[in-house]
Amino acid sequence: MKLALAMTALLCSVVSARAADGVFPFPCHQKTLPNGLKVVMIPTPSRGLVAYFTVVRTGSRDEVEPGRSGYAHFFEHMMFRGTKTYPGPVYNRIVTSLGAQANAFTSDDLTVYHLTLGKEDLERAIEIESDRFQHLDYGKPAFQTEAGAVYGEYRIGSTNPFFALHEKMQDLAFDAHTYKHTTMGFQADIKAMPEGYDYSRSFYHRFYRPENVVILAIGDVDPPATVRLIEKYYGAWQPGYQPPKITPEPPQTAPKSAEITFPGRTLPILAIGYKGDAFDPANRDYVAARLLAELAFGPQSELYKRLVLREQRVEAVQCDVPVNRDQPLFDIVAIVKNAEDIPAVRDQIDRTLQEFQTKPVDSQKLDDLKRRERYEFLMELDAPEKVAMQLARIVTATGGVEAVDQLFAASATITPRDIQRAAAKYFVPERRTEIVLKGKDDAGNQAAKKGEGEAAKADTPSDSDATKPLAASKPPPQSPTSAADATEKSQTPVATSPVLLPVAGDPTISFRLWFKAGSQNDPPGKEGLADITAAMISEGATRSNTYEQILDKLFPLAAGYSANAGMEMTVVSGRVHKDNLERFYPLLIEAILQPAFNQEDLDRVKSRTLSYLENTLRYANNEELGKAVLYNTLFAGTPYGHLGEGTIETVRGITIDDVKAFYRTHYTRDNVTVALGGGYDAALLKTLQADLGALPAGAPSATDIRVALQGRQVTIVEKECPATAISLGFPLDVVRGTKDWYALAIANSWLGQHRNQNGHLYQTIRELRGLNYGDYTYLEHFPVAAKQFVPPTNVARRQQIFEMWIRPVPNTARQFALRAALREFQRLIDHGLTQEQFDETRAFLRKFVPHLAPTTMAQLGYAVDDRFYGINGSHLEKYRQAMQDLTLDEVNAAIRRHLQYNDLQIVFVTKDAQSLKDALVAETPSPITYATPKPDSVIAEDREISVFPLKIKAENVRIVPLTELFVK
């Protein structure tokens, strides 16, 4: 693949060159302009990409005026409203023309605006960014419209128990400091924001000044040329930063505690926060506390093994020592399976802290952690945007990047005595605040009492997930010897040709082992079996190692593997630095060849899955809930017609024998394809293919997917909630690699490109009307879209779905929002794209494609998908070429052939379901009102939307109580 090959070759050489100076592997160039603006330029290997980050050292900590919390976050939104030179729509069109991946985020100490784009467009990006930071201009109507979108974001968060927990923890723990409120702000302040226009202007003039900003330009950059551009476009920016007078938090003198109730079902959560110290590499106590957090509460810790693995009282436990400018909380969080176990779990946490205060930590464990952190840091620097993300908080806390090496240098000198002293300083009663969160009526705990408990299920596998199993050979450093040497069975090497992505000089090796089976192969009545089998491989014991031993062995390697069962493919992924291959490879290969399939591991995996189905999916995320119901309903009666996680009833019934049978049938040498990327050698490939030959023979099994959808079918999930989530879609036969797929990609991008502010639906529903937080469309299954900027790989399907995602809107606007979306969709199909829309979107996608796979691991994922779809060559290369070759007529013809609006499955998650059904069927007009004036053109269009025909028949609408979902 031509798109792949340069990234980490330079990384390896630079690491060697810089090793004596510090851990940060790249040369860093810094320049401060006379007006105080600081620029940090870091050339890295990047395939022509540049990450351009503007770090404003202002966050919610700076909101000192009563009644004005949340404005740092709100202002992040307002910065996209544009200037006189480049108004918001013009700014968005320019960003689109650059093919940039653009967004922003706000936290307690910072606000970050980021673009990743081709190096040839860097000057244009600098020009438009400098303009909005110096000349932002917006009127009161735009400000008030945006307030609606911000409140919509708050409503999304309020459905998550961790959101409520964090709100209460900050409010209770802090009395005077502005950390008392979260980044979103107090709800009352958010509701009052439409009246804060004048204050917002003063906020901009106080904080958006050059002395308070650091620019990061990372990737394919020329530092001298970049400095000249920064001076050209930012040189006239006038200083005038007015730092807020933040009231210091007085010393806490006694522990605080509270218990809160979440209105939905959730596992009980125990959160304990201790007042810590601000980030400071020179503070040995702070540096030691960061190490202590992992040693005491990480997956290799004794507490984790006892509570999560052995006793299985806790679904997850962790400790966070954050990077903050002021005194933060050092947070310990435990997700407990039964409320009655909270006292015992609290006691175990307290005992652990007391042990660290009274006994020196094992020096070998401390050394292993230091080694792990170094490798972990280096392996996360494989794309410019990831480098920038790693640096943003450091830059905010210190103003520069020097603290990276300072932190690692300080960490290297920490002794067991330092750990002991930090534990005694920070984790004491007078610094403590404790919150216990329980679900309404403490629901959701009965399953756990039966050993089938709860907790948050991971949404998607991580390419660098570092917590899993083992193998059967003793490989030398770079070329593991075959496991065939350690088995008496005759082996036939895997015959399927491998998927290879060599990157010369890459210090890491990426593995993707694709088994041609997934949730479609779940036996009837055993739905969820593929998912659980994959979890048992990646999160369970092997014949030679318990899962605890596996965690211990993986820990110092900063490496790991995960297994994800999609609908048609299961992929075991792993990534390791070459230095650690010798110790990692046996763990990876034995996890696949010799899983132990122990009952205790099955109990733990089932417990987590049941918690996801019973609690998390139904009560913590209405958007994912709506999508899950859409998929289940749309594909009902087919092998796709259930969640990969299965149902509550089927998961409870899965046994060890079921797992073993599924493994024997589908984890076969005829069913596996090896994929390797990065700095591997031929010997590793040969060894891996030979070792996998120990799997039994067995051909892939095919399933039949046929979907018949007639008319507009509506499912309304009855749920008490503050806003309505809407998803709709229909089966789509077009898949990657075909000309029509690339044609539809243009139409889809124009209509609703994921996380792109220039999408037509986004502009219509969110920007013009402020009804929600975003509106997007998809040509392919895109799980957990809210947490990702680009589509995940290795979730390929023969039968795809066209999906429209309308993020939660006010309940009073739910019918109007559906009408608005359907109206725009129908207009696209009936009239097609214009030449201008086609040209702009095609140009955007041509430049955007490299953002889909900036790392070796991501590119390897796409290469595996290419094999699944039978694509000769590379989908990513074909994608870019198609954006050069396709014509407007071809795109509009593909729209007419494949998109339609008559046969749809529509899902609402909302309250008062019967009234919605009545309104939909009766075609009741749905006029909308606004808190602020709108242009006459919008009001006129609203009148048309309010009566747009929905064409929904009563017999095609069903109401489903929330508690009936995912049961059988």
Side-chain angles (χ1 to χ4, degrees), residues 227-275:
V227 167
R228 289 193 293 271
L229 291 173
I230 297 293
E231 291 173 333
K232 173 182 176 180
Y233 290 104
Y234 289 92
W237 194 3
Q238 293 299 305
Y241 171 57
Q242 301 175 33
K245 295 180 180 179
I246 299 173
T247 302
E249 181 69 14
Q252 188 172 331
T253 59
K256 304 177 182 180
S257 64
E259 182 169 316
I260 60 175
T261 300
F262 179 66
R265 283 181 57 166
T266 179
L267 283 178
I269 305 172
L270 171 64
I272 305 172
Y274 289 91
K275 297 277 177 56

Side-chain angles (χ1 to χ4, degrees), residues 408-478:
F408 276 95
S411 182
T413 68
I414 295 298
T415 67
R417 177 61 181 161
D418 293 323
I419 300 289
Q420 195 173 346
R421 187 181 64 250
K425 174 181 177 180
Y426 295 119
F427 298 95
V428 293
E430 57 269 25
R431 289 176 175 259
R432 177 180 177 124
T433 301
E434 177 183 308
I435 305 291
V436 173
L437 178 144
K438 298 179 182 178
K440 187 178 181 181
D441 302 322
D442 193 28
N445 291 311
Q446 296 308 310
K449 293 174 183 177
K450 300 174 185 176
E452 299 172 343
E454 349 241 315
K457 183 181 182 355
D459 290 312
T460 52
S462 167
D463 287 344
S464 59
D465 187 11
T467 55
K468 323 306 185 232
L470 165 44
S473 55
K474 295 183 178 180
Q478 166 62 1

